[in-house]
């Protein structure tokens, strides 16, 4: 398969199956939350009365730490998050949850003005004088495909108290062995040193970026077989294992194009994996476009990323544009997310008349123009307003991915 086939879509995605199949499945291992999150905790003293209740609260955090496998990564992150635990009195929107069953855990991103995650129903599993632990449970949730059971036992939440007041909260993602510790700034020298060390630490090129560079060099020399596929497959797996390193990528255009080429082989069939790869390719290419807004090759490749992978990428668009429910797909129909994606594609296609010279893109642009003229997107919607809507939706999706991937090092979709 030639590189132009990848870029200009001359072969349908279903015809792009290669003999190499994705055989390396990440094994699922049971994990436990770390008992030490970087500092020793005070001795817990059991409390007898009301072991299954917790006083609802709102905790305004201005910094947080991330732990992976019990080790601190990324350093102290200075940003505002509102963490709260509410008593379940009327159920929870988007879930089949009986009133009075447990509590609702929320994390709100004050910097972006939207939830950091979907609300999580949880129940108390243990309680002491200075700590309360909550845990998610299997529950039915509303999805674009109807009500489906999701297992929220992968989520936990620990509240720490000092002198009867909340001192910090920790969100646990047990399936990934990740903990996010929300706290309030301590102006002590120790915390200042943490920030200084994180700032002074030099950044090196991640190994998966070197693998992408190797693959793209082979592609440019005319070798688009195993010499391209295998390094990109390894790069993808390394990204999954070390997502926090994505923020250190030096050539985002190269890695974005590499992931685009990799998905074009058609060997990744799982919809979640496809969404992951496409979302990362979109994010990296979009960051590269921000630095080089007149680079039509980058814009063209972003169009093709969205166009050739609409089904998978539509889920990311749904999550990003539905600000009322965080990362889940509640409240926004698949038709609205489809239309939002159409506006994004149209916005990019409108950036240059050069795209009309590419048959596939010209046909897509003509189809979208007919839809606009026939009021497909609603009355009083012109080509100019649709292009403007597309830019707004690009901004929403990019903001969502920046928060998810760079801030939280989360590449699970």
């Amino acid at each position: 398969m030639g590189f132009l086939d990848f870029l200009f879509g001359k072969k349908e995605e279903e015809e792009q199956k290669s003999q190499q199949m994705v055989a390396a499945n990440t094994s699922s291992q049971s994990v436990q939350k770390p008992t030490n999150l970087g500092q020793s905790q005070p001795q817990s003293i059991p409390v007898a009365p009301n072991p299954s209740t917790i006083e609802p609260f709102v905790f305004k955090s201005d910094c947080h730490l991330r732990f992976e496998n019990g080790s601190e990564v990324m350093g102290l992150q200075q940003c505002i998050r509102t963490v709260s635990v509410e008593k379940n009195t009327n159920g929870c929107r988007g879930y089949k949850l009986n009133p009075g069953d447990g509590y609702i855990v929320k994390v709100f991103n004050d910097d972006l003005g939207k939830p950091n995650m979907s609300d999580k129903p949880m129940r108390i599993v243990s309680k002491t004088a200075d700590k309360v632990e909550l845990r998610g449970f299997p529950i039915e949730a509303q999805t674009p495909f109807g009500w489906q059971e999701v297992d929220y036992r992968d989520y936990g939440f620990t509240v720490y108290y000092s002198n009867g007041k909340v001192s910090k909260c920790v969100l646990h993602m047990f399936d990934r062995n990740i903990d996010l510790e929300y706290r309030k700034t301590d102006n002590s020298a120790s915390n200042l040193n943490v920030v200084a060390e994180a700032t002074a630490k030099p950044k090196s090129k991640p190994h998966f970026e070197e693998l992408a560079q190797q693959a793209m060099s082979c592609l440019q020399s005319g070798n688009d077989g195993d010499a391209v596929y295998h390094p990109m497959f390894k790069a993808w797996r390394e990204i999954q294992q070390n997502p926090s390193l994505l923020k250190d990528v030096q050539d985002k255009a190269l890695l974005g194009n590499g992931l685009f080429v990799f998905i074009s082989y058609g060997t990744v069939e799982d919809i979640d994996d496809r969404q992951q790869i496409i979302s990362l390719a979109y994010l990296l290419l979009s960051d590269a476009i921000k630095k080089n807004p007149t680079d039509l090759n980058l814009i063209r490749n972003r169009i093709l990323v969205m166009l050739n992978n609409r089904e998978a990428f539509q889920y990311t668009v749904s999550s990003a544009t539905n600000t009322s429910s965080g990362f889940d797909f509640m409240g926004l129909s698949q038709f609205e997310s489809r239309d939002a994606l159409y506006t994004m594609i149209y916005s990019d296609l409108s950036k240059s008349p050069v795209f009309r010279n590419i048959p596939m893109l010209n046909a897509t642009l003509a189809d979208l123009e007919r839809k606009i003229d026939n009021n497909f997107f609603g009355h009083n919607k012109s080509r100019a307003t649709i292009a403007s809507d597309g830019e707004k939706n690009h901004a929403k999706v990019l903001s969502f991915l920046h928060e998810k991937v760079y801030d939280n090092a989360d590449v699970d979709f």
Side-chain angles (χ1 to χ4, degrees):
M1 184 186 302
F3 186 44
L4 292 180
D5 292 336
F6 293 131
L7 295 187
F8 302 136
K10 294 182 180 178
K11 297 184 179 180
E12 292 295 328
E13 184 176 319
E14 291 75 14
E15 297 174 350
Q16 292 174 327
K17 308 283 186 183
S18 72
Q19 294 302 315
Q20 302 87 357
M21 297 301 294
V22 178
N25 293 319
T26 304
S27 62
S28 177
Q29 301 178 348
S30 62
V31 295
Q32 298 178 344
K33 60 181 181 296
T35 57
N36 190 325
L37 294 178
Q39 63 182 42
S40 61
Q41 300 299 333
Q43 190 68 29
S44 298
I45 303 173
V47 171
N50 297 326
S52 60
T53 62
I54 181 176
E55 186 69 22
F57 67 86
V58 175
F59 180 73
K60 184 75 72 172
S61 167
D62 58 9
C63 60
H64 66 266
L65 291 169
R66 181 185 180 89
F67 297 85
E68 296 180 4
N69 300 313
S71 300
E72 181 187 326
V73 297
M74 299 175 66
L76 190 67
Q77 303 296 300
Q78 302 279 3
C79 43
I80 307 298
R81 301 289 183 268
T82 300
V83 182
S84 62
V85 172
E86 298 179 0
K87 188 175 181 179
N88 170 22
T89 55
N90 298 306
C92 186
R93 181 173 177 266
Y95 299 100
K96 287 187 177 180
L97 181 65
N98 293 325
D101 184 0
Y103 297 83
I104 312 299
V105 175
K106 301 182 178 184
V107 180
F108 190 82
N109 187 325
D110 295 75
D111 297 329
L112 297 178
K114 66 179 184 179
N116 212 42
M117 68 173 187
S118 62
D119 297 347
K120 294 292 185 292
M122 295 190 187
R123 297 168 180 154
I124 294 176
V125 295
S126 71
K127 178 179 179 180
T128 66
D130 51 19
K131 183 172 67 175
V132 177
E133 296 181 70
L134 300 97
R135 187 77 178 260
F137 50 90
I139 188 173
E140 284 190 78
Q142 178 67 59
T143 77
F145 310 104
W147 291 99
Q148 295 187 356
E149 183 171 290
V150 294
D151 190 352
Y152 277 162
R153 286 177 295 187
D154 289 334
Y155 289 90
F157 192 73
T158 303
V159 185
Y160 292 89
Y161 294 88
S162 178
N163 299 321
K165 296 183 179 181
V166 177
S167 59
K168 67 178 180 180
C169 304
V170 182
L171 175 66
H172 309 284
M173 291 167 273
F174 298 123
D175 57 333
R176 287 170 278 165
N177 212 3
I178 292 175
D179 303 271
L180 295 176
E181 181 181 298
Y182 298 98
R183 54 167 68 176
K184 291 185 178 179
T185 301
D186 179 0
N187 292 323
S188 66
S190 59
N191 265 355
L192 293 176
N193 288 337
V194 169
V195 177
E197 290 173 6
T199 304
K201 186 177 179 180
K203 295 181 179 180
S204 59
K205 182 185 297 184
H207 184 248
F208 54 72
E209 185 179 356
E210 295 178 357
L211 289 170
Q213 189 172 24
Q214 174 188 335
M216 297 305 284
S217 295
C218 291
L219 190 61
Q220 291 171 1
S221 64
N223 186 353
D224 63 353
D226 290 353
V228 176
Y229 178 86
H230 287 301
M232 285 310 308
F233 177 83
K234 292 178 182 177
W236 170 44
R237 288 306 193 194
E238 286 193 13
I239 289 172
Q240 290 179 316
Q241 295 168 4
N242 300 286
S244 62
L245 296 181
L246 281 166
K247 68 183 185 302
D248 296 333
V249 171
Q250 297 176 14
D251 191 340
K252 293 183 177 181
L254 179 140
L255 184 57
N257 283 326
L259 290 171
F260 170 41
V261 169
F262 173 65
I263 197 69
S264 299
Y265 275 96
T267 59
V268 181
E269 297 181 337
D270 181 81
I271 189 67
D272 293 332
D273 287 339
R274 295 186 61 78
Q275 183 188 359
Q276 178 188 71
I277 297 169
I278 287 305
S279 298
L280 293 177
Y282 172 89
L283 169 62
L284 292 162
L285 288 171
S286 296
D287 285 345
I289 290 170
K290 272 195 167 184
K291 288 188 175 181
N292 301 283
T294 60
D295 190 327
L296 296 183
N297 289 324
L298 290 174
I299 298 172
R300 174 201 59 197
N301 289 358
R302 185 169 75 170
I303 294 170
L304 292 172
V305 162
M306 297 184 290
L307 191 60
N308 292 341
N309 302 275
R310 286 198 304 265
E311 180 186 7
F313 191 56
Q314 184 174 319
Y315 292 119
T316 298
V317 174
S318 176
S319 296
T321 54
N322 183 21
T323 57
S324 64
S325 61
F327 296 159
D328 288 349
F329 311 125
M330 303 165 192
L332 180 68
S333 76
Q334 55 184 321
F335 301 108
E336 289 174 306
S337 58
R338 175 205 63 190
D339 292 351
L341 181 53
Y342 278 154
T343 67
M344 294 164 65
I345 294 172
Y346 180 75
S347 174
D348 277 0
L349 286 170
S350 302
K351 285 180 167 55
S352 173
V354 171
F355 296 137
R356 291 188 182 273
N357 297 329
I358 304 173
M360 176 185 179
L361 300 188
N362 184 51
T364 301
L365 181 57
D367 178 63
L368 290 174
E369 288 175 340
R370 282 193 297 270
K371 282 181 167 63
I372 297 170
D373 296 342
N374 292 327
N375 298 320
F376 177 88
F377 297 98
H379 294 286
N380 301 320
K381 287 287 187 179
S382 65
R383 296 180 181 183
T385 58
I386 292 299
S388 176
D389 290 344
E391 286 301 302
K392 294 175 183 176
N393 286 324
H394 271 302
K396 290 180 181 179
V397 174
L398 192 55
S399 175
F400 168 82
L401 289 173
H402 269 260
E403 168 74 15
K404 182 177 179 68
V405 176
Y406 295 147
D407 292 351
N408 294 328
D410 181 4
V411 295
D412 287 343
F413 288 86

